[in-house]
Amino acid sequence: MGDMTNSDFYSKNQRNEANHAGEFGCTLQELRSLMELRGTEAVVKIKETYGETEGLCRHLKTSPTEGLAGTAADLEKRKLIFGKNFIPPKKPKTFIQLVWEALQDVTLIILEIAAIISLGLSFYQPPGEGNEGCGTATGGAEDEGEAEAGWIEGAAILLSVICVVLVTAFNDWSKEKQFRGLQSRIEQEQKFTVVRGGQVIQIPVAEIVVGDIAQVKYGDLLPADGIFIQGNDLKIDESSLTGESDQVRKSVDKDPMLLSGTHVMEGSGRMLVTAVGVNSQTGIIFTLLGAGGEEEEKKDKKAKQQDGAAAMEMQPLKSAEGGEGDDKDKKKSNMHKKEKSVLQGKLTKLAVQIGKAGLVMSAITVIILVLYFAIDTFVVNKKQWLPECTPVYVQYFVKFFIIGVTVLVVAVPEGLPLAVTISLAYSVKKMMRDNNLVRHLDACETMGNATAICSDKTGTLTTNRMTVVQAYVGDVHYKEIPDPDSIPAKTMELLVNAIAINSAYTTKILPPEKEGGLPRQVGNKTECGLLGFVLDLKQDYEPVRSLIPEEKLYKVYTFNSVRKSMSTVIKTPDGSFRMYSKGASEIVLKKCSRILNAAGEPRIFRPRDRDEMVKKVIEPMACDGLRTICVAFRDFPSSPEPDWDNENDILSDLTCICVVGIEDPVRPEVPEAIRKCQRAGITVRMVTGDNINTARAIAIKCGIIHPGEDFLCLEGKEFNRRIRNEKGEIEQERIDKIWPKLRVLARSSPTDKHTLVKGIIDSTQVEQRQVVAVTGDGTNDGPALKKADVGFAMGIAGTDVAKEASDIILTDDNFSSIVKAVMWGRNVYDSISKFLQFQLTVNIVAVIVAFTGACITQDSPLKAVQMLWVNLIMDTFASLALATEPPTEALLLRKPYGRNKPLISRTMMKNILGHAVYQLTLIFTLLFVGEKMFKIDSGRNAPLHSPPSEHYTIIFNTFVMMQLFNEINARKIHGERNVFDGIFRNPIFCTIVLGTFAIQIVIVQFGGKPFSCSPLQLDQWMWCVFIGLGELVWGQVIATIPTSRLKFLKEAGRLTEKEEVPEEELNEDVEEIDHAERELRRGQILWFRGLNRIQTQIEVVNTFKSGTSFQGALRRQSSVTSQTQDVTNISSPSHVSLSNALSSPTSTSAAAAGHPRREGIP
């Protein structure tokens, strides 16, 4: 589909080009071919064709310094000729396609066939009215009108099937729509810095046009193709396009080509945009993929269940996490994500167990009914099988078959995936308001199980508004900002220059937006703090910057996590060089050999002076929770010119100008949020690049550590020394000794962060596997964010690379939003448990009633259509009602559930069985003595087409009433007494309960033949409602029984350790089929009512999961085709050996049975 639109797009462009080629000096085609060159070829081509990059800028009518004029007409024209920076997504599935998919459901197909046969038979009148001989068959057909009405049941079943299908399709459709909405939200939030009309502005990525001058900096994800025109030290990670993991150094004269979808790892600069959207390198690949997808689909219709392709176009410009070439690395990096989310694993397992039970029950029901009928007719009454009776008998068998299928329909909880999806989608929508932008759906649920959070300090725990509050200048330690007159003029000039020049020119301090507000800090916050210091000293940095614009900087060593400092070299008028440096004080001071004294003259600065300064100045500052930054300079002679690449020599022999202490105050709401986490059983650890004293001071302010507790605060070096053996390899046992007590890791590198996260996740020291959440904002935090169970990226301070690797984006960079995420996560888990508690009660009761009823009275008391209606209430409506409960603070008062805690706890099991007992008792009482109580005709043993009886209507009505009131009971799962608590906070719940009640009245009073209902009197109605109300009273009775006494109750749906398949086995079986699914496959794949539904839902979840990388999409497409083949040749040896290796009792028995088709399928 995408391909079609693209080709139209090109032909249109070709026409436009012809008209407009005159206006710009180069065509779309020329630029496209230029962007395909690399390295020196590209430089030569640019020289030959345009004569330097300035020439190309002239051709594109733009200025390297001023950018585009930015007039609307010009921008429109550029979009028309060179295209928009947007890759058209593939069309979403139409509603009709979704309906067709919902119809593929096996149980529905069986019901449809049964209904059609039933319809056909009802119209077929056997010849010669010789029906008297056919025994009990025609007992009730005295009334001609009744015999005519035989078609109604079939029609009603068909109608209810249509209802189910429409509801399913509508759900899928709205889910898809929400998903697209979320994606476009993420895209709109992605902004990029460009220069227009000499002003540096931020615009949405989709607004970038060819000819724009874009500013690229550390951590950006390039949104379009372009040519590097000016900048310094730019290194790019092009692995997403080339698969080579080495960083590529870009320079104007050697390799100026910058490609969309690649990451800036170091440095900064400007680029001239030359290709956007479908014409950029990423766009071209997407187009090819789109076309490839089309052909695949033509060849392989089976793949149509894949929303996988949807992953591809969701985020046009965020190409992939790993990229096309590095498929192997990609698979490795995804290995740990292969573990299903906790909830999914437990649910799949539970669904398999319930499905098997339901299948057995329905098979037995059908067999018993058929046998009973046969024995009764042919043996007891010694009837002959007469040819003219055949249709009548067949009609009976069809009726039995329909009853069997309805038992199955009711038994399988196909509302489960629906409940999960609704619950997750609802949470994701609401989490937006709590500043959590969820990128991967299951992250929200995993967060509820989190046991550890590793958080950054700057910006997350603190406000990220840096201000200088102490300074050490000219041998004096000032506890507040010094008076400008007390600082010598020489020192002052050096200080202002060092700060103004040696910081990114994009960093500025702007006047406040509101009167009386704080000045706005734009750019790097530490640099803003320093610039603020200059302003506080009554100086101005702007004149210095205008005197030495960015183009005149001779060499820049940008800040990175290895250097921990930044230096800028300028050429002075007399031809010599001066370098200004700033950075972490202990690092820069080590390189200083002089310091400016009180008169502004340099004096010798010896190592022992340095130690004294660390003790007297730096440590006291750090203990107040300040970051210490040292500012220094060095002069070089003009000849011989220094070797700038030899960094170690250049960055030595410096002269210290001053040391400043920068305060970054703790966010006011953080201590409370951390207290909540600790109460909820979550350990918060701080991982920061800061000095250990600063870190400890902040950790105490936040409440991460409490004085007098037993905890560890380590520096990165010390941490590494402790976890590595003699050979320098990391040992898990060593990490296990450290992490339980570690609370602060200071001066840590990104690899330390990754090591710590991995160490905690892999640890087997505690009986529960730890679930770790990590926050990060820098490009280098990518690996840790990916490794963690849930990665949080900062929405404001975070780089694109960090956002790309994360699962949830904190749009306000605030730690307290993480606590909200925990609350929502736990709420999702609880919502599903509530739904299960309700659903399983209905399941048990409906199945037992249908089963025993059928065995004893040859006819299920609940008819097929009624069962489908009950199914609709308990699946679709209940999942809506119970999955949208809003979270409460109470959720944070308990410990995390952990991986091995069963989905259905003892308390829930007690509730389920308790309510089932109540409902069964009453229904059987009504079934067998109801006619005497209400003084009505008995409905038992009615002949084939007899009219609906009041007796059975009362049973049906009572059953539904009990479910309605039990739905209120299901709102609480931890044995609370007050089930009405907060019920009005959830309007959806109230609407659904009342709505269901209203529809039930309509069905009973006016449903008539199709619903097998006859209207009831008011007193009968009162009794039904009264019995339903009894559920609430009974709920209180159950709540008084102590769960601890009921040791015999089993829990269900627990993930045992064995089932987390070891990685080697996963590697053999890369086609993401995990254990439970394998079992599923053996467990009568065909019978899964809702298999399709589960698949489409897991699909959407997967699409979120795969970080919308199109590789994932393609791999999934192939995996689905292979899965469909697998169903047929499961007996291939590799699979059997695998299943034996897994040897859970169920799977081996299934493997022994060999072929899946043999088991229990009639």
Side-chain angles (χ1 to χ4, degrees):
M1 306 165 187
D3 190 42
M4 293 298 297
T5 50
N6 291 345
S7 45
D8 304 345
F9 186 79
Y10 288 137
S11 53
K12 226 171 35 216
N13 278 349
Q14 247 75 53
R15 283 199 299 282
N16 290 339
E17 259 174 56
N19 314 344
H20 293 287
E23 299 184 28
F24 295 105
C26 43
T27 62
L28 178 66
Q29 230 29 58
E30 280 171 19
L31 287 176
R32 264 186 79 160
S33 50
L34 171 64
M35 287 321 289
E36 276 157 20
L37 303 174
R38 300 282 176 271
T40 41
E41 284 182 21
V43 181
V44 173
K45 172 89 172 146
I46 293 174
K47 275 211 172 99
E48 282 174 2
T49 322
Y50 308 105
E52 293 308 314
T53 42
E54 279 74 29
L56 183 55
C57 289
R58 277 198 303 280
H59 276 275
L60 287 172
K61 303 206 168 131
T62 180
S63 138
T65 47
E66 301 287 305
L68 294 176
T71 59
D74 179 46
L75 295 179
E76 272 313 304
K77 196 157 69 191
R78 285 172 193 272
K79 280 184 189 166
L80 198 69
I81 298 176
F82 297 115
K84 293 189 170 116
N85 195 18
F86 170 69
I87 296 169
K90 215 161 155 190
K91 289 193 193 71
K93 289 190 174 159
T94 58
F95 190 68
I96 302 296
Q97 278 169 310
L98 291 171
V99 167
W100 175 242
E101 272 175 28
L103 278 171
Q104 308 298 308
D105 190 344
V106 183
T107 349
L108 286 182
I109 293 177
I110 296 174
L111 268 182
E112 286 153 24
I113 294 172
I116 290 169
I117 295 176
S118 154
L119 269 177
L121 286 173
S122 67
F123 290 129
Y124 173 70
Q125 275 292 311
E129 292 307 312
N131 285 351
E132 288 70 45
C134 301
T136 47
T138 49
E142 298 86 22
D143 179 2
E144 263 312 289
E146 286 303 334
E148 309 290 56
W151 62 273
I152 292 187
E153 185 166 18
I157 294 179
L158 281 182
L159 197 73
S160 50
V161 166
I162 291 170
C163 271
V164 174
V165 167
L166 288 178
V167 169
T168 315
F170 180 73
N171 274 316
D172 289 345
W173 179 77
S174 60
K175 206 162 53 200
E176 171 97 342
K177 199 163 143 235
Q178 262 176 342
F179 180 56
R180 301 231 163 199
L182 183 67
Q183 285 300 342
S184 58
R185 261 291 297 262
I186 294 177
E187 272 148 40
Q188 281 154 10
E189 295 211 340
Q190 207 188 353
K191 291 223 174 9
F192 210 78
T193 317
V194 296
V195 181
R196 283 195 182 166
Q199 290 292 315
V200 178
I201 56 167
Q202 285 213 323
I203 57 169
V205 168
E207 295 297 313
I208 295 176
V209 293
V210 170
D212 258 325
I213 303 295
Q215 289 200 342
V216 297
K217 60 180 184 312
Y218 158 82
D220 282 344
L221 188 114
L222 299 182
D225 291 356
I227 291 173
F228 186 44
I229 50 177
Q230 170 264 314
N232 40 59
D233 230 17
L234 194 67
K235 286 192 186 148
I236 303 264
D237 169 13
E238 293 192 345
S239 61
S240 58
L241 287 180
T242 60
E244 298 299 321
S245 55
D246 300 341
Q247 294 177 11
V248 186
R249 218 197 172 99
K250 296 288 178 186
S251 62
V252 181
D253 44 1
K254 292 204 182 65
D255 182 5
M257 304 315 247
L258 301 178
L259 307 172
S260 57
T262 58
H263 296 144
V264 182
M265 301 311 279
E266 240 180 76
S268 60
R270 291 183 171 192
M271 75 165 184
L272 165 68
V273 177
T274 53
V276 293
V278 284
N279 303 309
S280 67
Q281 292 303 306
T282 316
I284 293 170
I285 291 171
F286 273 126
T287 314
L288 292 174
L289 273 177
E294 296 270 288
E295 287 152 30
E296 280 291 304
E297 268 176 35
K298 287 187 193 104
K299 279 202 298 250
D300 186 353
K301 274 285 183 276
K302 284 182 200 147
K304 74 173 169 306
Q305 283 158 355
Q306 277 330 72
D307 296 356
M312 213 175 75
E313 348 68 41
M314 286 314 172
Q315 276 172 309
L317 297 171
K318 303 194 168 181
S319 65
E321 301 141 24
E324 298 76 10
D326 53 353
D327 211 19
K328 287 192 209 75
D329 308 346
K330 192 79 189 301
K331 279 184 182 157
K332 272 187 211 130
S333 72
N334 275 352
M335 235 37 217
H336 72 274
K337 284 283 190 202
K338 208 53 82 56
E339 270 186 33
K340 273 195 171 178
S341 82
V342 187
L343 189 64
Q344 257 183 336
K346 291 178 180 177
L347 282 178
T348 315
K349 205 158 177 286
L350 197 69
V352 172
Q353 292 166 350
I354 297 174
K356 285 183 177 167
L359 185 67
V360 171
M361 290 295 271
S362 63
I364 296 177
T365 313
V366 174
I367 293 167
I368 289 183
L369 283 171
V370 171
L371 282 179
Y372 190 100
F373 175 74
I375 291 172
D376 187 54
T377 312
F378 303 125
V379 180
V380 183
N381 297 334
K382 298 195 170 45
K383 289 274 174 5
Q384 291 297 303
W385 179 298
L386 301 171
E388 62 269 21
C389 294
T390 308
V392 182
Y393 294 146
V394 171
Q395 224 162 338
Y396 265 102
F397 291 142
V398 169
K399 180 175 139 184
F400 299 150
F401 184 55
I402 289 181
I403 291 172
V405 174
T406 30
V407 172
L408 178 70
V409 172
V410 177
V412 177
E414 66 279 41
L416 257 184
L418 190 64
V420 179
T421 317
I422 290 177
S423 183
L424 285 174
Y426 173 76
S427 306
V428 166
K429 216 170 184 164
K430 287 276 188 276
M431 281 168 83
M432 290 265 189
R433 291 186 198 164
D434 287 338
N435 304 309
N436 283 302
L437 180 75
V438 182
R439 290 185 63 229
H440 300 156
L441 213 57
D442 61 338
C444 144
E445 166 258 316
T446 312
M447 205 46 219
N449 285 315
T451 53
I453 297 176
C454 296
S455 171
D456 272 0
K457 176 179 76 72
T458 312
T460 316
L461 299 172
T462 58
T463 54
N464 207 3
R465 256 203 85 82
M466 309 280 188
T467 37
V468 173
V469 288
Q470 296 187 20
Y472 178 89
V473 191
D475 292 342
V476 188
H477 182 177
Y478 297 96
K479 292 288 191 184
E480 56 248 4
I481 300 285
D483 182 35
D485 305 333
S486 63
I487 297 177
K490 276 188 191 165
T491 312
M492 184 65 99
E493 190 196 354
L494 273 170
L495 181 62
V496 174
N497 279 349
I499 291 175
I501 294 168
N502 184 28
S503 56
Y505 278 32
T506 47
T507 307
K508 312 189 199 35
I509 291 194
L510 303 176
E513 286 179 341
K514 298 190 199 69
E515 280 296 308
L518 293 167
R520 279 184 300 155
Q521 297 187 338
V522 182
N524 180 314
K525 296 297 190 275
T526 312
E527 290 177 352
C528 287
L530 290 168
L531 292 174
F533 180 51
V534 171
L535 298 176
D536 290 340
L537 292 172
K538 309 279 183 286
Q539 307 292 316
D540 191 6
Y541 61 89
E542 282 296 349
V544 182
R545 283 187 173 179
S546 47
L547 195 67
I548 304 178
E550 213 171 347
E551 295 80 63
K552 287 203 186 153
L553 301 180
Y554 193 78
K555 169 92 183 135
V556 178
Y557 299 96
T558 47
F559 181 89
N560 65 25
S561 54
V562 182
R563 288 193 189 117
K564 295 245 193 258
S565 68
M566 170 180 179
S567 314
T568 305
V569 183
I570 55 169
K571 212 168 181 166
T572 51
D574 61 3
S576 63
F577 299 99
R578 170 169 284 176
M579 177 178 77
Y580 294 112
S581 278
K582 67 167 192 295
S585 56
E586 54 260 57
I587 290 170
V588 177
L589 278 177
K590 278 194 188 120
K591 299 175 177 165
C592 289
S593 54
R594 296 182 196 73
I595 185 165
L596 297 182
N597 62 14
E601 298 301 330
R603 66 172 168 83
I604 294 293
F605 184 63
R606 289 183 296 273
R608 67 158 188 270
D609 299 333
R610 177 166 66 240
D611 296 340
E612 191 184 349
M613 180 150 169
V614 167
K615 269 201 201 65
K616 297 255 175 75
V617 179
I618 291 174
E619 283 186 359
M621 280 188 186
C623 290
D624 292 342
L626 305 182
R627 293 179 71 170
T628 51
I629 303 278
C630 175
V631 182
F633 77 101
R634 176 181 176 186
D635 287 327
F636 297 96
S638 53
S639 65
E641 185 171 326
D643 171 16
W644 298 114
D645 290 334
N646 184 348
E647 245 180 82
N648 292 341
D649 289 1
I650 302 284
L651 285 178
S652 61
D653 198 21
L654 306 174
T655 306
C656 169
I657 304 172
C658 72
V659 173
V660 294
I662 297 186
E663 181 186 44
D664 183 8
V666 171
R667 287 177 180 261
E669 62 281 351
V670 162
E672 174 58 21
I674 286 181
R675 208 164 32 252
K676 279 182 188 162
C677 280
Q678 290 162 343
R679 203 173 47 217
I682 301 170
T683 317
V684 182
R685 294 182 174 81
M686 180 157 99
V687 183
T688 173
D690 245 340
N691 171 318
I692 187 151
N693 295 328
T694 312
R696 193 182 289 121
I698 300 266
I700 291 172
K701 281 184 191 165
C702 293
I704 290 178
I705 52 184
H706 304 286
E709 275 184 359
D710 177 22
F711 54 78
L712 281 173
C713 292
L714 294 181
E715 285 207 335
K717 277 201 190 101
E718 172 66 10
F719 173 69
N720 274 314
R721 196 181 60 70
R722 289 197 190 185
I723 62 171
R724 291 172 192 274
N725 57 18
E726 298 70 56
K727 295 188 193 135
E729 296 158 346
I730 298 173
E731 287 188 354
Q732 186 64 41
E733 300 84 75
R734 290 175 182 238
I735 298 184
D736 283 349
K737 289 199 185 91
I738 295 178
W739 73 258
K741 288 186 177 171
L742 183 70
R743 291 292 176 274
V744 175
L745 185 58
R747 281 275 173 253
S748 64
S749 67
T751 34
D752 294 341
K753 192 175 194 173
H754 182 255
T755 309
L756 176 67
V757 171
K758 185 174 184 313
I760 297 180
I761 288 181
D762 296 346
S763 170
T764 49
Q765 222 193 354
V766 276
E767 71 282 0
Q768 295 280 8
R769 168 183 167 310
Q770 296 280 306
V771 178
V772 185
V774 171
T775 67
D777 52 5
T779 303
N780 42 24
D781 289 329
L785 288 171
K786 265 218 175 85
K787 176 67 192 159
D789 294 285
V790 183
F792 285 92
M794 301 295 136
I796 305 166
T799 57
D800 295 344
V801 182
K803 290 180 187 171
E804 200 43 28
S806 69
D807 301 300
I808 297 180
I809 296 173
L810 294 176
T811 47
D812 62 346
D813 288 14
N814 191 337
F815 184 83
S816 57
S817 302
I818 297 179
V819 183
K820 293 260 176 54
V822 172
M823 214 155 81
W824 276 107
R826 293 186 170 188
N827 190 52
V828 168
Y829 200 96
D830 279 6
S831 296
I832 294 202
S833 296
K834 286 171 191 173
F835 172 70
L836 270 175
Q837 180 176 307
F838 173 68
Q839 164 115 41
L840 291 180
T841 315
V842 187
N843 272 1
I844 292 174
V845 176
V847 168
I848 293 180
V849 166
F851 176 71
T852 36
C855 298
I856 298 170
T857 66
Q858 282 70 71
D859 184 9
S860 163
L862 298 172
K863 298 289 182 287
V865 182
Q866 295 175 353
M867 288 278 220
L868 284 169
W869 161 240
V870 171
N871 214 23
L872 195 71
I873 312 176
M874 67 186 205
D875 278 359
T876 316
F877 294 162
S879 59
L880 251 179
L882 292 168
T884 50
E885 289 273 317
T888 57
E889 287 281 331
L891 289 168
L892 293 174
L893 299 175
R894 62 172 174 75
K895 299 276 178 277
Y897 281 144
R899 283 187 170 269
N900 315 349
K901 169 113 173 30
L903 202 57
I904 297 173
S905 62
R906 278 229 169 94
T907 316
M908 286 168 60
M909 213 43 157
K910 176 183 76 175
N911 291 345
I912 291 173
L913 295 178
H915 287 296
V917 167
Y918 173 83
Q919 299 187 7
L920 285 171
T921 315
L922 280 163
I923 286 183
F924 283 136
T925 311
L926 286 175
L927 181 60
F928 295 114
V929 291
E931 72 272 26
K932 299 195 185 75
M933 288 160 54
F934 288 107
K935 303 198 173 42
I936 47 178
D937 296 337
S938 164
R940 294 195 300 279
N941 296 336
L944 198 54
H945 293 306
S946 52
S949 65
E950 278 186 352
H951 183 187
Y952 273 19
T953 309
I954 291 179
I955 294 178
F956 165 58
N957 199 19
T958 312
F959 181 66
V960 172
M961 287 303 127
M962 291 198 284
Q963 299 329 321
L964 269 186
F965 288 102
N966 195 26
E967 199 164 336
I968 299 175
N969 277 331
R971 293 183 65 245
K972 299 285 175 245
I973 51 174
H974 296 299
E976 295 91 334
R977 289 247 169 220
N978 180 6
V979 289
F980 291 102
D981 179 34
I983 193 164
F984 294 115
R985 282 220 319 271
N986 186 355
I988 302 184
F989 185 86
C990 304
T991 321
I992 284 180
V993 170
L994 294 172
T996 315
F997 190 76
I999 299 175
Q1000 179 65 16
I1001 295 179
V1002 174
I1003 288 178
V1004 171
Q1005 297 305 94
F1006 310 107
K1009 187 77 190 173
F1011 277 99
S1012 323
C1013 287
S1014 78
L1016 298 180
Q1017 264 76 50
L1018 187 63
D1019 59 329
Q1020 292 168 332
W1021 261 102
M1022 297 320 272
W1023 274 106
C1024 293
V1025 175
F1026 175 71
I1027 296 174
L1029 275 168
E1031 269 287 354
L1032 294 175
V1033 184
W1034 183 248
Q1036 295 302 316
V1037 177
I1038 294 179
T1040 30
I1041 305 171
T1043 313
S1044 49
R1045 289 284 171 79
L1046 306 170
K1047 287 277 183 286
F1048 60 89
L1049 284 183
K1050 274 289 214 321
E1051 301 138 330
R1054 81 167 351 144
L1055 267 186
T1056 43
E1057 289 300 316
K1058 266 193 218 110
E1059 262 141 60
E1060 291 183 7
V1061 188
E1063 291 206 355
E1064 307 76 72
E1065 291 177 359
L1066 273 172
N1067 289 345
E1068 290 173 34
D1069 188 29
V1070 183
E1071 306 306 355
E1072 323 185 355
I1073 311 156
D1074 84 342
H1075 185 82
E1077 278 169 24
R1078 235 182 260 124
E1079 210 174 293
L1080 230 169
R1081 228 188 253 156
R1082 305 221 163 71
Q1084 301 80 36
I1085 213 165
L1086 295 172
W1087 278 97
F1088 245 48
R1089 159 111 180 82
L1091 178 68
N1092 253 5
R1093 225 187 276 182
I1094 292 175
Q1095 270 186 349
T1096 38
Q1097 264 129 10
I1098 288 180
E1099 239 355 277
V1100 172
V1101 173
N1102 273 349
T1103 317
F1104 269 95
K1105 238 200 248 169
S1106 64
T1108 62
S1109 75
F1110 43 63
Q1111 250 182 338
L1114 287 185
R1115 192 162 342 114
R1116 226 170 10 256
Q1117 211 143 11
S1118 67
S1119 93
V1120 155
T1121 48
S1122 73
Q1123 272 182 30
T1124 36
Q1125 291 149 13
D1126 266 355
V1127 175
T1128 45
N1129 52 18
I1130 227 158
S1131 38
S1132 68
S1134 65
H1135 276 277
V1136 176
S1137 64
L1138 232 173
S1139 61
N1140 293 345
L1142 290 166
S1143 78
S1144 94
T1146 33
S1147 72
T1148 32
S1149 63
H1155 213 282
R1157 299 284 160 87
R1158 273 189 223 147
E1159 294 174 87
I1161 296 174

